[in-house]
Amino acid sequence: MSQERLVVPVLLGSVRSERMGIRAARFVMGLLETRGYEAVLVDPMVFKLPLLDRMYKEYPKGEAPSALEELATLYRRADGFVVVSAEYNQSVPPALKNLLDHFLEEYFWRPSAIVSYSAGRFAGVRAAIALRPILGVLGMPSIPSVLSIPTIGKSLAVDGTPAEAWIEKSAGRFLDEFGWYAEALKAKRAGGTPY
């Protein structure tokens, strides 16, 4: 691990009033912080971004809404992104897609890692599959592994504490892989990027 802390925004994809994804976000944030990373929750319920009309880069300098400026500043500091997604109708939640689509260059040359979940047994894996090409096109390709959490209401407590030992073990391997990619791309970015 490098001497500098990795900065990792955790992008939460749900705005439902009784959303379970906040449990997964809290769980992952705790593990990232235990590793010494700076984990920052990006919650669309807090940022309240409008439906996409103009991307951040399409605003004249200094005229973007304050929420977009705050996120752009965070994303430029980021070394990688963890994306927490439910599965809506075999795809990604609209709030997550909207959150992602407001930016582009700010994601470039940084890895992403997908945490999917569902109330049932399939753990949101179809959303994870749908997310891979989206994240790649945005310039933050996802690592090969996915952390998929089934029956999230039973698997994680409200504060993100896992109820089953396998979750923490799987998450450890998942974050080992993510950390490797984040460190590698951080070093490459320091030497310059193709554009």
Side-chain angles (χ1 to χ4, degrees):
M1 190 184 297
S2 71
Q3 297 302 325
E4 291 183 40
R5 293 174 73 190
L6 291 179
V7 178
V8 182
V10 176
L11 311 183
L12 179 57
S14 177
V15 293
R16 286 187 169 181
S17 58
E18 296 183 22
R19 61 194 177 158
M20 291 285 177
I22 191 69
R23 297 176 184 214
R26 289 174 180 146
F27 170 60
V28 171
M29 298 248 325
L31 293 177
L32 291 168
E33 289 165 356
T34 297
R35 289 168 179 253
Y37 299 170
E38 180 184 344
V40 182
L41 180 63
V42 178
D43 184 345
M45 286 183 78
V46 172
F47 284 93
K48 298 183 189 296
L49 299 181
L51 288 177
L52 182 63
D53 175 39
R54 282 196 281 176
M55 294 177 70
Y56 170 74
K57 69 180 184 175
E58 295 170 327
Y59 286 92
K61 188 168 181 64
E63 293 183 23
S66 59
L68 291 181
E69 283 294 352
E70 184 178 343
L71 289 174
T73 300
L74 170 63
Y75 291 176
R76 286 187 203 105
R77 294 178 48 236
D79 296 302
F81 297 86
V82 174
V83 181
V84 179
S85 181
E87 180 179 311
Y88 290 9
N89 301 315
Q90 300 191 22
S91 191
V92 299
L96 177 58
K97 187 69 167 65
N98 189 59
L99 177 65
L100 290 169
D101 286 345
H102 276 84
F103 297 93
L104 186 61
E105 289 85 351
E106 292 75 16
Y107 300 130
F108 285 3
W109 320 113
R110 293 158 174 86
S112 62
I114 300 169
V115 177
S116 67
Y117 66 91
S118 71
R121 294 177 297 150
F122 295 112
V125 294
R126 292 172 292 205
I129 291 167
L131 261 174
R132 281 197 192 279
I134 295 168
L135 297 174
V137 166
L138 289 173
M140 53 168 162
S142 63
I143 64 170
S145 296
V146 173
L147 179 61
S148 297
I149 304 170
T151 58
I152 190 168
K154 295 177 183 175
S155 299
L156 295 175
V158 173
D159 68 355
T161 303
E164 302 169 30
W166 72 264
I167 297 172
E168 200 150 5
K169 184 176 179 183
S170 292
R173 288 193 309 263
F174 171 76
L175 292 177
D176 286 346
E177 184 178 335
F178 173 69
W180 188 92
Y181 279 93
E183 290 282 355
L185 289 180
K186 180 176 186 170
K188 287 298 286 182
R189 281 194 318 278
T193 60
Y195 50 87

